[in-house]
């Protein structure tokens, strides 16, 4: 089975683009797809956006040990954030779900864009801007966005448009369509007839890629609590986009995953990064003896050096004591007192005793040194005791054949043990799930009974838990373990290529592996069953059916034949097939339906806005600074790709008679 290696994607910092004279002189519009997950910005004259980065801001905390007030932490934006997981709790966004509400963060995002596009317009941005916004963006949020762009950056005009409508335009879906926009925080189902949004029939599901990622993250952390730190949101996101899919029939897929053979064939093994322990090298008997001799010789040298140092100290001390004794014998009592006071010797008698003790210590040390030197030349008697129980090959086969048979026997026993252990783990999981389902049914039946519900008060109510809570244990027999040890003993003595099994390293890679089975379809199923995370909202299929029933039969047929999938979550494998199956079930017998997918779900909104900017009708779609001044910040000029403008009603003034 192939092992999936996790890829920690490291963002590459954005470079400062060239502000060419062609862009500057021709007043080329600037296209900004301001998505809740990532931001894409570039000139309308380009085929691709020059900047693509995560719509995130990280402000690292200042080190409290630094007292310099000028040493403030630098703000990191988008691709400048080298390690998102390290700054996970310092990340900020300008969005609340899919609506821009934190405009101080939005201003920093705009600064990042204009600086990396190298716009030098004398403290202004002298280019029209085409900016995406969410469906039914509140007037107050648009007012603050217009105020930011017109007042702070002095842009000449702005064109607001809905990202999913731009994507529909770029994919040439036509005048009619049922747009399913699967975003990072929300999912919108938008019916469009004759290039007009039927606003009263639009519905939003408060569920998107963020919820799928966090749900998958929670599932794997609960399944592998030992690796809770290694299972990061960034790695889960990579796994979702590369190895997860949407089931065509979720219940049938769950039944398949309950089968051992299906599980063994389709389970995905993901290798987490880990530090490989240092392998312990095996030494021969001669090398071990030589190593012991070297250690013993080194220890003897250290002891000899210590004795020599001690002997030198004692001889120096004895010399000082003899000098003091000579001063006393010569009658120089004043200098004698100064010397013994320095040595902390109370009297002449104590001086004589100390001279005798020091002399005896010097003699003993010299004897030890002489004895050690005499034994240094001798050979250290480290001999390996020969083993009397070395297994020998039978007389009817050769040594090479016996080694090959032993190696194969050991391998087959270990394979049987591994497969049996894996089957027992899977069986324990299924038994636990089945027991939980039985307890749920028992609880429901207990509620239906008349009288008080005393379920759980009796010990026998919990017998089902007692049966599954017993440790399954490892049924590997002692005979198998003894056979493995016997094979290893034979290979250790007769096979020069045999490597000693390292207990600390053995299975280290396998210990750091994630076995992802039913989780590959369970997380993505949230789009159709939000109740799995406790949400009371309808799923994607139910919402589509609810919206289609708001139209007459002819309009239903038109919408069903031009279903358009866009947004980041539309890249999940199997989504188109699952929606086709759901539409077949909800639509009348023999009615037709057709589903279109984005050519590039991540860039279609930007490309569609670029197409509008180059169409020649952009001036009819732009909200100018004069409109902003005269009609207010919430105003936008309506066009086929924008929201409808509903002026905020003036507040009602209630007059009170005092």
């Amino acid at each position: 089975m192939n092992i999936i290696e996790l890829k920690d994607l490291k963002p590459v910092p954005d470079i400062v683009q060239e502000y060419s004279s062609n862009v500057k002189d021709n007043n080329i519009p600037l296209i900004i797809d301001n998505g809740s997950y990532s931001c894409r910005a570039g000139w309308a004259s380009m085929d691709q956006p020059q900047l693509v980065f995560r719509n995130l801001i990280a402000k690292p905390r200042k080190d409290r040990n630094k007292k310099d007030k000028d040493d403030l932490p630098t703000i990191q934006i988008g691709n400048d954030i080298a390690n998102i997981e390290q700054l996970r709790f310092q990340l900020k966004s300008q969005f609340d779900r899919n609506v821009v509400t934190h405009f101080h963060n939005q201003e920093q995002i705009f600064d990042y864009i204009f600086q990396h596009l190298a716009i030098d317009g004398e403290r202004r941005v002298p280019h029209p801007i085409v900016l995406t916004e969410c469906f039914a963006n509140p007037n107050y949020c648009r007012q603050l966005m217009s105020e930011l762009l017109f007042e702070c950056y002095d842009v000449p005009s702005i064109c607001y448009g809905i990202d999913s409508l731009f994507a529909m335009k770029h994919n040439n879906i036509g005048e009619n369509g049922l747009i399913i926009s699967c975003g990072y925080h929300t999912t919108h189902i938008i019916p469009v007839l004759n290039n007009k949004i039927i606003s009263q029939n639009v519905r939003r599901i408060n569920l998107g890629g963020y919820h799928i990622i966090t749900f998958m993250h929670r599932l794997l952390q609960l399944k592998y609590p030992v690796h809770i730190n290694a299972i990061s949101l960034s790695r889960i996101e990579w796994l979702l986009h590369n190895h997860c899919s949407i089931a065509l029939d979720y219940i049938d897929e769950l039944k398949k995953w309950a089968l051992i053979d299906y599980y063994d064939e389709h389970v995905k093994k993901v290798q987490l990064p880990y530090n490989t322990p240092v392998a312990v090298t095996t030494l021969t008997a001669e090398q071990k003896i030589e190593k012991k001799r070297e250690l013993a010789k080194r220890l003897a040298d250290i002891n000899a050096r210590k004795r020599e140092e001690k002997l030198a100290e004692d001889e120096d001390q004895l010399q000082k004591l003899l000098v003091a004794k000579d001063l006393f014998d010569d009658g120089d009592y004043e200098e004698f007192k100064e010397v013994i006071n320095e040595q902390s010797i109370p009297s002449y008698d104590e001086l004589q005793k100390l001279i005798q003790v020091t002399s005896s210590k010097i003699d003993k040390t010299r004897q030890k040194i002489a004895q050690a030197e005499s034994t240094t030349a001798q050979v250290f008697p480290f001999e390996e005791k020969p083993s009397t129980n070395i297994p020998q090959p039978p007389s009817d086969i050769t040594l090479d054949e016996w080694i090959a048979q032993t190696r194969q026997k050991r391998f087959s026993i270990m394979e049987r043990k591994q497969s049996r252990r894996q089957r027992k783990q899977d069986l324990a999981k299924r038994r636990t799930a089945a027991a939980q389902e039985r307890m749920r049914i028992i609880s429901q039946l207990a509620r239906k009974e008349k009288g008080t519900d005393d379920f759980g008060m009796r010990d026998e109510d919990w017998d089902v838990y007692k049966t599954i809570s017993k440790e399954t244990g490892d049924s590997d027999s002692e005979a198998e373990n003894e056979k493995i040890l016997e094979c290893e003993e034979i290979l250790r003595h007769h096979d020069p290529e045999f490597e000693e099994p390292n207990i600390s390293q053995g299975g280290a890679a396998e210990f750091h592996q994630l076995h992802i089975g039913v989780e590959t379809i369970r997380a993505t199923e949230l789009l159709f069953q939000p109740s799995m995370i406790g949400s009371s909202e309808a799923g994607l299929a139910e919402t589509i059916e609810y919206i289609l029933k708001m139209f007459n039969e002819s309009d239903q047929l038109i919408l069903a034949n031009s279903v358009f999938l866009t947004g980041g979550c539309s890249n999940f494998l199997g989504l188109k097939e699952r929606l086709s199956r759901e539409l077949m079930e909800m639509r009348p017998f023999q009615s037709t339906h057709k589903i279109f997918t984005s050519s590039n779900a991540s860039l279609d909104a930007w490309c569609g806005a670029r197409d509008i900017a180059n169409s020649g009708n952009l001036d009819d779609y732009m909200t100018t600074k004069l409109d902003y001044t005269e009609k207010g910040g919430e105003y936008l000029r309506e066009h086929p790709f924008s929201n409808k403008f509903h002026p905020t009603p003036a507040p009602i003034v209630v007059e009170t008679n005092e």
Side-chain angles (χ1 to χ4, degrees):
M1 182 182 297
N2 295 329
I3 306 297
I4 300 173
E5 295 289 340
L6 278 176
K7 295 182 180 179
D8 292 330
L9 301 180
K10 295 183 179 180
V12 179
D14 294 319
I15 62 173
V16 177
Q17 304 290 330
E18 180 184 0
Y19 190 44
S20 63
S21 58
N22 182 31
V23 172
K24 184 177 182 180
D25 298 338
N26 295 329
N27 200 25
I28 301 297
L30 176 60
I31 314 299
I32 301 177
D33 180 16
N34 193 30
S36 59
Y37 178 76
S38 62
C39 181
R40 292 156 285 271
W43 302 109
S45 58
M46 302 293 181
D47 294 334
Q48 299 289 334
Q50 282 73 46
L51 297 177
V52 179
F53 58 91
R54 287 288 298 271
N55 240 337
L56 293 174
I57 300 173
K59 185 176 181 181
R61 297 174 182 174
K62 184 179 179 181
D63 191 357
R64 296 180 180 179
N65 297 326
K66 295 182 179 180
K67 298 181 180 180
D68 189 1
K69 295 183 179 179
D70 296 332
D71 189 14
L72 297 176
T74 58
I75 296 176
Q76 301 175 11
I77 298 176
N79 293 328
D80 290 343
I81 306 174
N83 191 346
I84 289 182
E85 296 301 329
Q86 185 177 2
L87 302 175
R88 176 66 64 181
F89 297 103
Q90 284 92 43
L91 296 178
K92 298 179 182 179
S93 175
Q94 68 269 39
F95 286 92
D96 185 359
R97 298 200 182 207
N98 63 329
V99 179
V100 179
T101 56
H102 306 287
F103 285 89
H104 57 285
N105 295 332
Q106 183 64 64
E107 182 179 356
Q108 293 175 337
I109 295 292
F110 281 149
D111 288 341
Y112 182 85
I113 294 173
F114 300 147
Q115 289 173 4
H116 282 77
L117 292 178
I119 299 176
D120 55 352
E122 297 179 357
R123 297 183 179 180
R124 64 186 298 264
V125 180
H127 294 273
I129 292 180
V130 181
L131 182 65
T132 61
E133 64 177 7
C134 64
F135 175 78
N137 190 31
N139 287 343
Y140 180 70
C141 296
R142 187 182 301 112
Q143 175 184 350
L144 294 178
M145 183 68 76
S146 298
E147 180 181 346
L148 176 63
L149 290 172
F150 284 124
E151 300 290 347
C152 183
Y153 299 101
D154 195 19
V155 299
S157 56
I158 308 171
C159 174
Y160 292 104
I162 302 174
D163 51 359
S164 56
L165 292 181
F166 285 145
M168 181 179 177
K169 167 66 177 177
H170 180 67
N171 287 272
N172 298 319
I173 302 301
E175 298 180 352
N176 307 307
L178 184 65
I179 303 175
I180 301 175
S181 178
C182 304
Y184 188 57
H185 287 285
T186 58
T187 300
H188 284 86
I189 297 95
I190 305 174
V192 179
L193 292 174
N194 300 322
N195 280 335
K196 291 184 179 180
I197 297 178
I198 313 301
S199 302
Q200 64 273 18
N201 294 345
V202 176
R203 291 296 181 272
R204 182 183 79 172
I205 304 172
N206 293 314
L207 188 140
Y210 169 78
H211 304 85
I212 297 175
I213 292 171
T214 53
F215 183 53
M216 181 76 165
H217 184 243
R218 191 188 315 162
L219 287 177
L220 291 182
Q221 282 194 335
L222 289 174
K223 186 176 181 180
Y224 297 98
V226 178
H227 306 303
I228 190 170
N229 294 326
I231 303 173
S232 61
L233 287 172
S234 300
R235 291 170 177 171
I236 293 299
E237 183 179 339
W238 182 83
L239 283 174
L240 276 172
H241 286 289
N242 292 277
H243 298 283
C244 293
S245 61
I246 294 179
L248 183 63
D249 190 319
Y250 183 64
I251 302 301
D252 287 348
E253 288 293 327
L254 289 181
K255 293 178 180 178
K256 291 179 182 178
W257 279 105
L259 303 176
I260 296 177
D261 295 337
Y262 185 88
Y263 179 89
D264 293 338
E265 184 178 355
H266 294 85
V267 67
K268 298 180 184 296
K269 292 185 177 182
V270 180
Q271 184 64 59
L272 293 174
Y274 69 99
N275 295 325
T276 305
V278 180
V280 180
T281 58
T282 56
L283 301 176
T284 62
E286 293 77 7
Q287 291 174 339
K288 290 179 180 179
I289 294 174
E290 187 63 27
K291 188 174 181 179
K292 289 180 181 180
R293 288 175 178 172
E294 292 178 359
L295 292 175
K297 188 175 182 303
R298 190 182 307 168
L299 182 61
D301 293 340
I302 293 173
N303 292 333
R305 194 181 306 115
K306 289 182 179 180
R307 293 190 188 100
E308 290 175 357
E309 293 174 357
K310 182 63 175 174
L311 178 62
E313 292 178 0
D314 292 340
E315 288 178 347
D316 184 47
Q317 179 68 16
L318 179 61
Q319 188 65 29
K320 292 179 181 180
L321 296 176
L322 292 175
V323 169
K325 184 176 181 302
D326 292 340
L327 290 174
F328 183 83
D329 294 339
D330 294 340
D332 194 353
Y333 300 112
E334 293 182 0
E335 191 173 354
F336 169 75
K337 290 182 180 180
E338 292 179 2
V339 173
I340 62 174
N341 288 334
E342 290 178 0
Q343 299 293 329
S344 301
I345 301 174
S347 63
Y348 178 76
D349 296 335
E350 291 295 332
L351 176 63
Q352 289 182 332
K353 291 180 181 179
L354 190 57
I355 291 173
Q356 294 178 359
V357 171
T358 306
S359 300
S360 63
K361 287 172 61 177
I362 291 173
D363 294 338
K364 290 180 180 179
T365 305
R366 286 175 178 172
Q367 292 177 3
K368 290 181 180 179
I369 292 174
Q371 185 179 2
E373 289 178 354
S374 63
T375 57
T376 302
Q378 297 179 2
V379 179
F380 294 98
F382 292 120
E383 298 293 339
E384 280 295 316
K385 295 182 179 180
S387 177
T388 57
N389 297 324
I390 297 177
Q392 299 296 329
S395 58
D396 55 344
I397 59 176
T398 62
L399 178 62
D400 294 338
E401 293 176 352
W402 187 48
I403 292 175
Q405 292 178 3
T406 305
R407 193 185 297 115
Q408 180 63 30
K409 181 180 178 182
R410 175 177 176 270
F411 177 77
S412 61
I413 295 174
M414 295 183 68
E415 281 289 318
R416 288 199 303 270
K417 289 178 61 178
Q418 181 65 23
S419 60
R420 185 165 61 248
R421 189 179 298 112
Q422 185 65 35
R423 286 197 302 270
K424 285 194 298 183
Q425 291 177 358
D426 298 337
L427 181 61
K429 294 177 183 177
R430 290 198 301 273
R431 285 180 176 176
T432 303
Q436 292 175 352
E437 181 65 19
R438 287 197 298 270
M439 297 305 295
R440 185 184 65 81
I441 296 173
I442 293 171
S443 300
Q444 291 178 353
L445 294 175
R447 294 193 196 99
K448 295 179 181 179
E449 293 180 358
K450 296 181 180 180
T452 59
D453 180 15
D454 60 346
F455 179 79
M457 301 299 293
R458 300 181 300 272
D459 293 339
E460 56 269 17
D461 293 341
W462 304 99
D463 288 342
V464 63
Y465 279 153
K466 294 179 181 178
T467 57
I468 64 171
S469 62
K470 294 180 180 179
E471 296 182 358
T472 55
D474 190 1
S475 62
D476 299 334
S477 62
E478 295 182 1
E480 286 184 342
N481 295 332
E482 292 179 358
K483 289 179 181 178
I484 292 176
L485 294 176
E486 181 181 351
C487 294
E488 291 178 353
E489 183 70 18
I490 294 172
L491 297 175
R492 188 180 296 111
H493 287 90
H494 298 283
D495 188 4
E497 298 179 357
F498 176 70
E499 295 181 357
E500 290 281 349
N502 190 353
I503 299 175
S504 60
Q505 184 180 357
E510 186 177 355
F511 178 75
H512 290 83
Q513 286 178 4
L514 306 180
H515 290 201
I516 302 178
V518 73
E519 293 84 7
T520 56
I521 61 171
R522 178 170 292 168
T524 54
E525 186 66 18
L526 280 183
L527 286 174
F528 296 89
Q529 299 187 52
S531 59
M532 295 171 66
I533 58 172
S535 176
S536 59
E537 298 190 31
L540 186 58
E542 296 172 287
T543 307
I544 293 174
E545 183 178 10
Y546 179 80
I547 292 174
L548 289 177
K549 289 181 179 179
M550 296 180 179
F551 297 90
N552 55 44
E553 293 183 0
S554 59
D555 290 341
Q556 288 184 27
L557 185 61
I558 293 173
L559 294 175
N561 280 280
S562 57
V563 178
F564 175 58
L565 281 174
T566 185
C569 293
S570 64
N571 292 323
F572 285 134
L573 295 176
L575 179 57
K576 181 179 179 181
E577 292 77 9
R578 176 68 177 272
L579 280 178
S580 178
R581 180 178 179 273
E582 297 288 349
L583 285 170
M584 184 179 295
E585 292 180 354
M586 70 178 68
R587 298 290 297 142
F589 179 64
Q590 291 186 345
S591 63
T592 59
H593 64 271
K594 193 172 183 181
I595 300 176
F596 300 90
T597 57
S598 295
S599 57
N600 190 333
S602 300
L603 296 180
D604 279 351
W606 187 91
C607 294
R610 179 206 58 196
D611 297 340
I612 298 300
N614 296 327
S615 63
N617 300 325
L618 184 61
D619 293 338
D620 299 333
Y621 302 158
M622 304 298 290
T623 302
T624 63
K625 192 169 185 179
L626 182 61
D627 295 332
Y628 167 76
T629 305
E630 294 181 351
K631 301 177 182 179
E634 64 183 26
Y635 173 76
L636 84 158
R637 187 170 296 182
E638 292 186 14
H639 54 85
F641 308 98
S642 71
N643 285 297
K644 288 186 177 181
F645 175 58
H646 299 281
T648 302
I652 300 175
V653 179
V654 179
E655 297 182 357
T656 58
N657 296 327
E658 295 181 357

